Amino acid sequence: MSDYTIIVDPLSTGQEYPAAFRAAGRKPVAVLSGLEPPPAYTASWNPEDFDHVHYFTGDVSVLADELRQYEPTYLVPGAESGVELCDQLTEILFPGTGNVPELASARRDKWEMAQALTEAGVPRLRQVLTADPAEAEEWLRANDLLGRRLVIKPPKSAAGDEVYVVFEGGDWRERFHRVLGRTNKMGLINDAVLIQEYAEGTEYLVDTYSVDGVHALVDVCRYTKVGRGDKIGIYRRIDFLAEDDPEVQALWPYTRDVLDAVGIRIGCGHVEVMMTADGPRLIEVAARPAGGGHQMVSELATGDNHIKRTVAHRVRGEVRDGFDLVQHLRGVFIIAPSEGYFRNREVFDGIESLKSFHWMKILHEEDAVVPATVDLFTCLAWVILIHSDPQTLDEDYQRVLEMEAAIIIETP
């Protein structure tokens, strides 16, 4: 076995891979999918963590030849931006051992995801991808969605970036043109817009790990999200569920079908599913570890996570068939109500005295200019509550929301 592990775009959550593989006796090598990381990931790019760094300059065959010197037997994608390149390199270096190559775009592009589900006979939300508002209007009329609630977003984005809701009777064209042509936080130009029927229900995060097409659960969370104006998908809280929870059992067969439909056969899966009145419906799926600090909370709740599962499998050949919920955990995302100067950081004084308090990270200093929270990238702070008593969790959660309500943001 090679002494090296190659990680494609070790950014966002993927920045945790080098230390984990090094601790397991492997030398980490970084491959960046461009000369610079995408704007959203700049702060997580740490080239000093790697024995060697390579950059993709446009010729995947040349890059594959560079990597042969490490005698690799696998590659690992670290972030969303590296998923497609990792698939391409894997197929060149060790054909037939990765995810299904013909379905590579379905693991990254939200329109292609939907097409793959249709091909596999898996229920999905109705949607259209277009850069032409006339074509969009024709589709909306044909599907009896004109004047209905809609979701508008880029086909390739992450963490709720540029995801908008159009309310009943709202101006979908304004949101359409707001997305079209803009450069999103992945550094990609939105050359088309995805319009989707609005899904009512409860949203879940389902994290998985697959080996040779056999899928296993890593963790499952119930999301609570809120909207502000025409922005949806603003994270409010997550609650971890046990594997035998009826909610999980209702989601799992559908999630396996999704993983098969988009060709995930090896490694991490990160699936967001809405349980609607008509049954589960895919929001999106990714073939990489969950981001947004999720690895830490997953380990606290289950004793395991995507990073640990990957290292155990790739280095030691260990494969698990599920997970254990070792403690009840609720993650709370603190929302900044507007852009401006954050004037009262002390509003959170005393939060440590809450019975379920475990950890908090405030992402901005007092008097710093903070953005209004519109997605996962712009949260003001995170709080983790852990307790065996659900009522205590609920009571402490309400107290955290009271603190949040007293935040003072002074407009510049």
Side-chain angles (χ1 to χ4, degrees):
M1 179 178 286
S2 172
D3 291 335
Y4 295 92
T5 288
I6 299 170
I7 307 155
V8 183
D9 276 4
L11 310 166
S12 183
T13 288
Q15 69 180 308
E16 300 179 31
Y17 270 133
F21 275 110
R22 200 179 290 280
R26 297 290 179 266
K27 300 175 183 177
V29 175
V31 171
L32 210 61
S33 61
L35 297 179
E36 298 288 343
Y41 297 150
T42 300
S44 62
W45 172 226
N46 302 302
E48 67 277 4
D49 290 346
F50 302 91
D51 283 34
H52 305 279
V53 177
H54 297 260
Y55 298 88
F56 178 54
T57 57
D59 192 324
V60 69
S61 297
V62 169
L63 179 57
D65 286 340
E66 290 178 14
L67 300 178
R68 293 184 199 277
Q69 64 182 296
Y70 304 111
E71 301 181 345
T73 56
Y74 61 87
L75 282 81
V76 175
E80 186 74 4
S81 55
V83 166
E84 290 173 297
L85 179 58
C86 187
D87 280 338
Q88 294 170 3
L89 289 167
T90 297
E91 189 60 19
I92 292 172
L93 292 169
F94 359 91
T97 67
N99 294 322
V100 178
E102 295 80 11
L103 291 167
S105 60
R107 296 186 288 275
R108 180 69 180 91
D109 185 295
K110 296 175 179 63
W111 169 252
E112 296 297 336
M113 286 175 201
Q115 299 310 102
L117 264 61
T118 297
E119 186 69 23
V122 179
R124 66 168 178 88
L125 298 172
R126 290 177 292 171
Q127 59 187 42
V128 66
L129 179 71
T130 182
D132 181 357
E135 181 183 10
E137 182 167 358
E138 182 180 349
W139 180 86
L140 290 168
R141 182 176 291 107
N143 285 273
D144 194 28
L145 290 173
L146 272 178
R148 302 285 186 91
R149 189 174 296 197
L150 305 168
V151 173
I152 291 182
K153 56 188 173 183
K156 290 186 176 184
S157 62
D161 179 30
E162 296 190 310
V163 178
Y164 299 100
V165 63
V166 180
F167 294 102
E168 290 82 352
D171 184 359
W172 65 267
R173 288 175 178 269
E174 190 278 330
R175 277 75 167 188
F176 182 94
H177 289 294
R178 194 187 304 184
V179 173
L180 185 64
R182 292 191 63 179
T183 300
N184 63 43
K185 291 179 181 178
M186 293 292 101
L188 302 173
I189 296 174
N190 302 327
D191 55 5
V193 179
L194 195 71
I195 303 179
Q196 188 178 73
E197 67 175 314
Y198 185 85
E200 293 273 6
T202 302
E203 188 172 350
Y204 298 86
L205 178 160
V206 185
D207 285 327
T208 64
Y209 195 87
S210 305
V211 178
D212 297 330
V214 178
H215 313 299
L217 286 167
V218 175
D219 64 65
V220 180
C221 301
R222 184 195 310 112
Y223 277 146
T224 300
K225 293 182 178 180
V226 297
R228 172 173 295 141
D230 61 0
K231 285 292 296 179
I232 62 171
I234 300 175
Y235 292 77
R236 162 51 72 201
R237 82 186 207 204
I238 59 171
D239 291 280
F240 280 79
L241 305 177
E243 185 168 2
D244 61 359
D245 190 296
E247 293 175 82
V248 176
Q249 294 305 305
L251 291 167
W252 186 217
Y254 178 83
T255 304
R256 290 198 303 266
D257 288 344
V258 167
L259 295 170
D260 288 338
V262 301
I264 292 181
R265 293 187 48 79
I266 193 78
C268 298
H270 177 63
V271 192
E272 296 182 359
V273 179
M274 185 77 75
M275 182 59 78
T276 74
D278 296 322
R281 295 292 185 269
L282 178 69
I283 302 301
E284 60 185 65
V285 56
R288 43 81 178 168
H294 192 79
Q295 301 305 306
M296 176 182 64
V297 290
S298 180
E299 184 173 7
L300 286 169
T302 71
D304 203 357
N305 60 27
H306 268 146
I307 300 295
K308 294 179 70 173
R309 193 77 64 104
T310 302
V311 174
H313 168 231
R314 293 301 196 176
V315 177
R316 298 188 295 274
E318 298 174 3
V319 178
R320 291 191 61 184
D321 62 0
F323 73 95
D324 300 311
L325 186 69
V326 297
Q327 52 188 354
H328 295 282
L329 184 148
R330 178 171 297 172
V332 187
F333 301 87
I334 302 300
I335 296 172
S338 61
E339 180 181 0
Y341 294 100
F342 178 29
R343 293 305 196 193
N344 62 334
R345 188 181 169 108
E346 71 277 3
V347 73
F348 295 108
D349 287 354
I351 195 170
E352 297 87 352
S353 65
L354 298 178
K355 293 179 180 178
S356 63
F357 177 82
H358 179 80
W359 179 86
M360 180 178 193
K361 182 175 184 179
I362 303 176
L363 301 176
H364 299 276
E365 296 298 323
E366 185 161 333
D367 297 327
V369 176
V370 303
T373 299
V374 294
D375 53 30
L376 194 57
F377 296 115
T378 50
C379 286
L380 180 63
W382 303 330
V383 179
I384 296 174
L385 305 176
I386 297 174
H387 205 277
S388 59
D389 176 27
Q391 183 176 344
T392 297
L393 277 178
D394 288 340
E395 291 172 354
D396 288 354
Y397 172 64
Q398 291 303 317
R399 180 68 186 111
V400 172
L401 295 187
E402 291 170 7
M403 293 176 175
E404 180 194 73
I407 289 172
I408 297 174
I409 304 291
E410 186 176 292
T411 305

